[in-house]
Amino acid sequence: MSNQLTVRPLDLKAATQTMSNRVYIFDTTLRDGEQSPGCSMTVPEKTRMAHKLVDLGVDILEAGFPIASDGDFEAVDAISREFPWVTVAALGRACTLDVERAAQSLKHARRPRIHTFIATSDIHLKHKLKKSRQQVLDEATAAVELAREHVDDVEFSAEDGARTDAGFLEEISKAVVAAGARTVNIPDTVGYSAPREYAEIIGRVVKALGDSAIVSVHCHDDLGLAVPNSLAAVEAGARQIECTINGIGERAGNCSLEEVVMVMKTRNDLYPYSTGINTEHLYSASELLSSMITFGPQPNKAIVGRNAFAHEAGIHQDGYLKEKSTYEIIDPKSVGVPEGKLVLGKHSGRHALHKRCEDLGFSLTKSALDSLYHRFTALADRKKGVMDEEIIALIGEREAKHAVGD
Ligand code: MN
């Protein structure tokens, strides 16, 4: 349990200064994401999504949980055949049946990864598994050894890791690495941790494992901290982030791939890490996923939401039209959004309206613009936004009036 953690201050700088700054992106859209409500995908849909994730440049593509369903097995198999050069991961609990099934589903992958997990927190041991720490440790190492008989690349996850006793977490991490795991994932399965605490947990495991394994993070967004927790973990020495497109996943979802990647890219001065992500595919990846599941990102979602690059307030629009960098920190094109949008509404000013009229092919005198602006704000007051057609109609109305007056 978290309140039993003995948190000792850790010299993160000393622990991480010799490490590479390359952070691996482990995409679990097709596994953790797909297993959440409204997100089921068929095998052909998963294969299409996998194609996009490959274009995007994810390092590891978790394609399913093969023991869970035949569909999951087929998805891992299909993706392994179609994209043999990609590291494809299959999930399985730390038991023979699951590990064997995962291995079988990866038969055609050239770079297969078996990802096996067991819960390690006392709360899960007591109420869910009804097992002792020793039993869990033995089952974890046995599963990793079995997985290593099939593949070289084995990842172990300590489920509910963020609420696991720090000493036990260190012990099991060392044991699975000795058994052959190359990646040790410490998930915040229930989205309970916070950046400072999570950094301490991760830092301690990083220090214990040294360069014998990559430490990975897998954060849930129950408190809206999945992205900040993942970044804090990277600062503490984690070098793999598990994440999903649009942040889909169990309950409130996983760490959003597009957000965590764009923080490291946009604020590289603060987060001097690199990924292999081709960011100009982010928006289309988000759109493709939205077209296959039952919901898209909320309009105000960072990076990929409909309003992420839309400016409505008059002061903002005026500044944006003079120099984009006044209100835009990311070039929309860098994430595959054609360009920033000015939304014309009741908060818009003359400058934006004038620009839109010009874009629509109308050149107005100052007095014509003043008169149009007056009628525009009257209309905008009654509406959530004004469409281009309505602006054209307003211009037309004035011309009609003049014709009558003449
Ligand atoms: Mn999860």
Side-chain angles (χ1 to χ4, degrees):
M1 299 271 295
S2 60
N3 57 3
Q4 294 171 336
L5 290 178
T6 43
V7 177
R8 274 183 284 131
L10 184 81
D11 186 355
L12 294 180
K13 235 183 184 155
T16 59
Q17 66 189 355
T18 57
M19 299 182 74
S20 156
N21 68 356
R22 176 68 158 83
V23 172
Y24 296 99
I25 297 298
F26 176 113
D27 180 275
T28 185
T29 305
L30 302 179
R31 200 280 298 166
D32 203 320
E34 201 261 351
Q35 74 188 41
S36 61
C39 296
S40 296
M41 285 174 251
T42 63
V43 174
E45 283 171 337
K46 284 185 186 175
T47 309
R48 269 174 68 208
M49 194 66 217
H51 196 148
K52 191 73 217 176
L53 294 169
V54 169
D55 288 347
L56 187 62
V58 305
D59 297 291
I60 302 105
L61 204 167
E62 187 163 60
F65 191 174
I67 197 78
S69 73
D70 289 344
D72 267 41
F73 182 95
E74 283 168 38
V76 177
D77 180 57
I79 291 167
S80 299
R81 288 172 197 258
E82 192 124 354
F83 310 101
W85 64 93
V86 174
T87 299
V88 179
L91 186 70
R93 288 164 300 185
C95 62
T96 307
L97 203 65
D98 283 38
V99 171
E100 294 287 359
R101 189 81 174 139
Q104 221 183 328
S105 72
L106 290 165
K107 215 167 46 196
H108 296 280
R110 255 182 257 157
R111 300 175 68 186
R113 172 180 293 192
I114 294 178
H115 177 193
T116 188
F117 73 95
I118 192 165
T120 52
S121 67
D122 287 341
I123 193 165
H124 278 232
L125 264 59
K126 183 174 174 221
H127 301 288
K128 187 181 81 173
L129 299 178
K130 303 188 194 310
K131 286 176 182 168
S132 68
R133 286 184 183 176
Q134 189 59 50
Q135 273 175 293
V136 162
L137 189 104
D138 292 343
E139 287 174 25
T141 51
V144 169
E145 280 167 8
L146 176 62
R148 278 301 303 264
E149 287 176 22
H150 295 283
V151 301
D152 288 336
D153 185 357
V154 174
E155 171 172 339
F156 172 76
S157 278
E159 191 192 0
D160 206 20
R163 292 195 300 174
T164 297
D165 172 79
F168 182 55
L169 195 59
E170 195 176 318
E171 188 187 355
I172 198 164
S173 298
K174 284 183 186 163
V176 293
V177 171
R182 287 182 173 177
T183 304
V184 176
N185 183 40
I186 311 294
D188 181 18
T189 305
V190 293
Y192 180 72
S193 206
R196 205 165 19 167
E197 177 192 76
Y198 197 52
E200 289 290 342
I201 295 167
I202 296 300
R204 183 167 170 168
V205 176
V206 167
K207 202 175 170 198
L209 297 181
D211 54 13
S212 64
I214 287 189
V215 174
S216 164
V217 291
H218 176 114
C219 295
H220 278 270
D221 210 31
D222 299 70
L223 291 172
L225 291 172
V227 171
N229 282 345
S230 301
L231 292 167
V234 167
E235 289 186 292
R239 286 296 178 269
Q240 174 178 289
I241 299 175
E242 302 196 359
C243 47
T244 61
I245 300 296
N246 293 351
I248 66 168
E250 289 278 2
R251 305 180 312 280
N254 284 83
C255 172
S256 152
L257 185 153
E258 54 277 1
E259 291 180 19
V260 81
V261 165
M262 288 311 291
V263 174
M264 291 189 282
K265 184 172 178 180
T266 310
R267 294 312 308 272
N268 204 251
D269 54 331
L270 298 178
Y271 299 98
Y273 310 103
S274 65
T275 69
I277 296 297
N278 304 309
T279 61
E280 63 280 9
H281 287 284
L282 286 171
Y283 185 66
S284 53
S286 166
E287 293 261 282
L288 179 64
L289 178 66
S290 302
S291 74
M292 294 191 300
I293 63 175
T294 58
F295 56 91
Q298 80 265 18
N300 62 335
K301 164 87 165 62
I303 317 300
V304 294
R306 181 168 19 101
N307 292 349
F309 298 99
H311 308 273
E312 178 169 333
I315 293 167
H316 290 215
Q317 291 183 335
D318 180 54
Y320 173 84
L321 287 168
K322 286 171 177 156
E323 166 54 44
K324 286 182 180 175
S325 66
T326 53
Y327 287 98
E328 204 159 76
I329 61 159
I330 296 168
D331 179 354
K333 291 190 207 76
S334 72
V335 295
V337 173
E339 62 181 47
K341 289 189 294 257
L342 293 185
V343 177
L344 291 183
K346 67 173 182 176
H347 306 107
S348 300
R350 279 180 176 72
H351 192 172
L353 180 63
H354 188 215
K355 172 79 169 54
R356 183 63 57 89
C357 289
E358 276 182 353
D359 291 348
L360 291 169
F362 297 94
S363 67
L364 302 177
T365 62
K366 193 180 173 300
S367 69
L369 178 68
D370 285 344
S371 150
L372 177 67
Y373 183 68
H374 186 70
R375 282 170 293 124
F376 163 79
T377 51
L379 175 65
D381 250 342
R382 306 195 300 269
K383 303 191 76 230
K384 302 286 181 200
V386 178
M387 316 284 285
D388 287 351
E389 300 75 50
E390 293 171 313
I391 295 167
I392 294 169
L394 286 177
I395 297 171
E397 208 175 88
R398 173 184 162 274
E399 280 166 358
K401 262 186 201 157
H402 272 237
V404 172
D406 287 343

